[in-house]
């Protein structure tokens, strides 16, 4: 299991569309992936859970992955939320 | 982030804020209350400063018998920088020394018209439910025949689709995808939806739908006690699934153990009906009727009878 703290740089934060893309990316991996914000942990493969966190630009989240492709998953998702557009 | 602040109890119990308004954002960290009678008498060795302080008729009438100097120092020691608030009950007069001391330390002083014991029990109840340990699980919570069923399973296994079918059959949705669970009492878990996604359900191919506007107010609930966990998993031909229902599997959430059923998913299996029957069977067991055990007992009898025939 690996964890990584990242700052969300997406200008709009994880609004509905970016969140859907995030979940889509997460679903490509077979590892269990979680997102944690302010002590609340949700499944990164579920869009509703992710959106219930209301992640804004500038907030710090923790990505947690556990499974065969955990490393690739974290890298991919971290780079996605750290994009600035 | 603190779960309850002094401001919340002011709003909830319609308390009158007398002084120390600067402190209304102080966090309340414990559901215990304190009635500082012994402190009024000057004994502060075990003063629980982090609790809400409740001053009723007993405390205040004793306080009136003190000398002006004692009055001043006692109130000063009562108002610390961690005290979340001091409440005067029965609409009693607030001593001027308390107002002075509370303004200095910005401890909110509030007044209620309720009687002390009544206020104290209502406050305790409210704080206990607010400060209860919580967790969030990935799953769907549905009220099926009055039984709170938490459906869990991997992403894409069909939890939301099962919930949709259940709602169509007249059951109620509590939360989809992310269920916030509070341990309200020993052995009592209550689930609710995060505010932002209340009433919503996500179905692959349809997107996000609002169950309340689609199916009406009768199709949703804000919270529900969880009694049963149903774990959906893709049918694994190498795994043995329960064929008898004699053994009861358990799963632990927070400090409470819940009965858990594992249901294998295969195309064409009507999961909603299975969940419905699981809920009904659960109720039946609670009422003392256990089909599996009754059958097993009958079978044992029949075998024993057969043995006698051979003798």
């Amino acid at each position: 299991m690996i964890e990584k703290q990242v700052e969300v740089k997406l200008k709009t934060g994880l609004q509905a569309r970016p969140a859907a893309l995030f979940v889509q990316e997460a679903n490509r991996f077979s590892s269990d992936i979680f997102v944690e914000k302010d002590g609340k942990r949700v499944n990164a493969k579920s869009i509703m859970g992710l959106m219930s966190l209301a992640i804004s630009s500038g907030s710090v989240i923790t990505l947690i992955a556990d499974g065969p492709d955990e490393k690739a998953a974290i890298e991919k998702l971290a780079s996605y939320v750290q994009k600035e557009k | 982030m603190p779960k309850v602040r002094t401001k919340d109890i002011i709003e909830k119990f319609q308390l009158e804020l007398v002084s120390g308004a600067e402190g209304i954002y102080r966090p309340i960290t414990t559901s215990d209350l304190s009635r500082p009678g012994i402190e009024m008498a000057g004994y502060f060795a075990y003063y629980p400063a982090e609790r809400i302080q409740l001053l009723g008729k007993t405390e205040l009438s004793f306080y009136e018998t003190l000398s002006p100097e004692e009055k001043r120092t006692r109130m000063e020691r009562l108002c610390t920088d961690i005290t979340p608030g001091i409440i005067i009950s029965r609409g009693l007069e607030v001593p001027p020394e308390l107002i002075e001391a509370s303004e200095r330390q910005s401890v909110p002083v509030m007044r209620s018209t309720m009687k002390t014991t009544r206020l104290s029990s209502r406050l305790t109840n409210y704080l206990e439910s607010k400060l209860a340990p919580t967790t969030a699980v990935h799953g769907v919570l549905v009220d099926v025949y009055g039984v709170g069923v938490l459906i869990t399973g991997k992403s894409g296994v069909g939890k939301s689709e099962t919930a949709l079918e259940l709602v169509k059959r007249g059951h109620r949705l509590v939360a989809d995808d992310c269920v916030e669970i509070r341990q309200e009492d020993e052995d009592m878990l209550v689930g609710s939806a995060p505010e932002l996604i209340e009433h919503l359900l996500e179905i692959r191919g349809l997107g996000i739908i609002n169950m309340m506007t689609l199916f009406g107010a009768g199709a949703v609930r804000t919270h529900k006690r969880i009694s049963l966990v149903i774990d959906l998993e893709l049918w694994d031909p190498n795994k043995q699934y329960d064929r008898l229902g004699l053994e009861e599997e358990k799963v632990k959430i927070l400090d409470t153990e819940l009965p858990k059923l594992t249901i294998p998913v295969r195309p064409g299996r009507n999961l909603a009906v299975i969940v419905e029957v699981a809920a009904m069977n659960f109720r039946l067991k609670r009422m003392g009727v256990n089909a599996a055990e009754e059958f097993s007992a009958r079978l044992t009898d029949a075998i024993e009878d057969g043995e006698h025939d051979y003798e």
Side-chain angles (χ1 to χ4, degrees):
Chain A
M1 190 181 79
I2 50 173
E3 281 189 32
K4 190 180 180 188
Q5 264 201 355
V6 286
E7 191 191 333
V8 178
K9 291 193 180 135
L10 284 170
K11 258 209 188 83
T12 56
L14 279 182
Q15 284 182 356
R17 286 197 181 82
L21 279 174
F22 182 93
V23 170
Q24 227 173 56
E25 287 297 333
N27 271 302
R28 287 181 210 272
F29 301 96
S30 61
S31 301
D32 289 325
I33 310 171
F34 302 94
V35 177
E36 198 174 279
K37 187 193 154 205
D38 299 333
K40 240 184 94 177
R41 180 189 282 209
V42 301
N43 191 323
K45 295 184 180 180
S46 99
I47 185 151
M48 302 284 275
L50 187 68
M51 290 196 298
S52 76
L53 291 181
I55 297 166
S56 59
S57 181
S59 54
V60 176
I61 59 172
T62 310
L63 299 170
I64 302 140
D66 188 11
D69 49 6
E70 51 189 32
K71 214 164 163 206
I74 295 261
E75 264 169 36
K76 182 88 189 169
L77 295 173
S79 75
Y80 176 71
V81 294
Q82 286 178 319
K83 278 195 297 194
E84 280 187 39
K85 112 186 131 57
Chain B
M1 201 182 77
K3 290 174 184 165
V4 203
R5 293 170 189 275
T6 310
K7 189 171 156 278
D8 299 321
I9 61 164
I10 295 180
E11 281 163 12
K12 173 77 187 170
F13 294 94
Q14 289 162 357
L15 303 175
E16 175 199 346
L17 185 63
V18 182
S19 65
E22 271 174 48
I24 60 166
Y25 291 102
R26 288 192 176 188
I28 303 175
T29 50
T30 164
S31 62
D32 296 331
L33 304 174
S34 149
R35 286 189 70 175
I38 199 104
E39 286 80 0
M40 291 276 112
Y43 185 69
F44 275 87
Y46 295 101
Y47 173 49
E50 75 291 353
R51 300 184 190 173
I52 289 273
Q53 307 294 323
L54 217 55
L55 292 174
K57 210 171 176 178
T58 330
E59 289 82 11
L60 286 176
S61 57
F62 171 75
Y63 176 76
E64 283 310 312
T65 65
L66 297 172
S67 73
E69 174 57 22
E70 280 169 332
K71 281 184 178 175
R72 206 179 53 76
T73 54
R74 302 276 154 87
M75 282 308 180
E76 261 174 16
R77 295 186 72 179
L78 210 57
C79 296
T80 71
D81 53 355
I82 53 164
T83 313
I86 299 170
I87 306 177
I88 311 278
S89 60
R90 284 172 177 265
L92 293 164
E93 194 73 35
V94 183
E97 295 85 0
L98 174 59
I99 297 187
E100 207 179 292
S102 69
E103 286 294 2
R104 208 173 307 135
Q105 285 289 346
S106 16
V107 176
V109 173
M110 297 149 281
R111 183 155 58 181
S112 164
T113 50
M114 256 186 275
K115 283 188 187 166
T116 323
T117 39
R118 176 118 185 83
L119 180 65
S120 118
S121 72
R122 288 191 56 188
L123 265 173
T124 311
N125 279 347
Y126 173 75
L127 290 176
E128 277 197 342
S129 82
K130 282 283 175 189
L131 294 170
T134 60
T135 184
V137 299
H138 180 222
V140 181
L141 181 59
V142 199
D143 172 354
V144 184
Y145 297 120
V147 179
V149 181
L150 178 69
I151 306 172
T152 59
K154 283 222 181 316
S155 211
V157 80
K159 297 181 295 293
S160 301
E161 283 80 0
T162 308
L164 179 63
E165 171 89 32
L166 283 167
V167 170
K168 197 86 221 280
R169 288 164 163 270
H171 305 291
R172 291 161 168 187
L173 175 77
V174 185
D176 176 37
D177 234 17
C178 183
V179 185
E180 282 177 356
I181 300 178
R182 275 205 318 269
Q183 170 122 22
E184 290 220 336
D185 206 343
E186 247 349 75
D187 289 342
M188 172 147 156
L189 296 173
V190 176
S192 58
E195 215 178 303
L196 203 58
I197 58 168
E198 209 178 10
H199 306 158
L200 301 180
L201 195 70
E202 185 243 344
I203 300 286
R204 304 285 138 90
L206 291 183
I208 295 166
I209 54 177
N210 187 324
M211 298 303 272
M212 184 158 89
T213 47
L214 272 175
F215 294 93
V220 291
R221 274 194 76 129
T222 54
H223 60 277
K224 175 73 194 165
R225 178 181 180 169
I226 305 172
S227 316
L228 179 65
V229 177
I230 295 188
D231 189 39
L232 304 181
E233 64 170 45
L234 287 176
W235 198 301
D236 180 353
N238 299 318
K239 193 174 162 179
Q240 289 302 311
Y241 294 101
D242 193 0
R243 304 291 293 263
L244 295 170
L246 285 171
E247 253 63 64
E248 206 171 56
E249 227 186 309
K250 297 267 186 192
V251 59
K252 197 167 182 177
I253 300 177
L254 293 168
D255 286 329
T256 304
E257 288 209 322
L258 291 172
K260 176 188 152 188
L261 300 169
T262 303
I263 311 261
V265 176
R266 205 158 55 173
R269 262 197 132 196
N270 190 335
L271 288 172
V273 174
I274 294 175
V275 173
E276 251 180 0
V277 172
M280 277 195 280
N281 205 30
F282 174 81
R283 291 194 65 186
L284 211 54
K285 274 190 196 167
R286 281 287 152 95
M287 291 178 211
V289 185
N290 189 327
E293 267 172 24
E294 275 170 24
F295 171 72
S296 161
R298 275 224 310 272
L299 180 63
T300 312
D301 284 349
I303 290 172
E304 277 171 7
D305 284 350
E307 279 169 3
H308 291 305
D309 289 346
Y310 280 111
E311 275 166 15

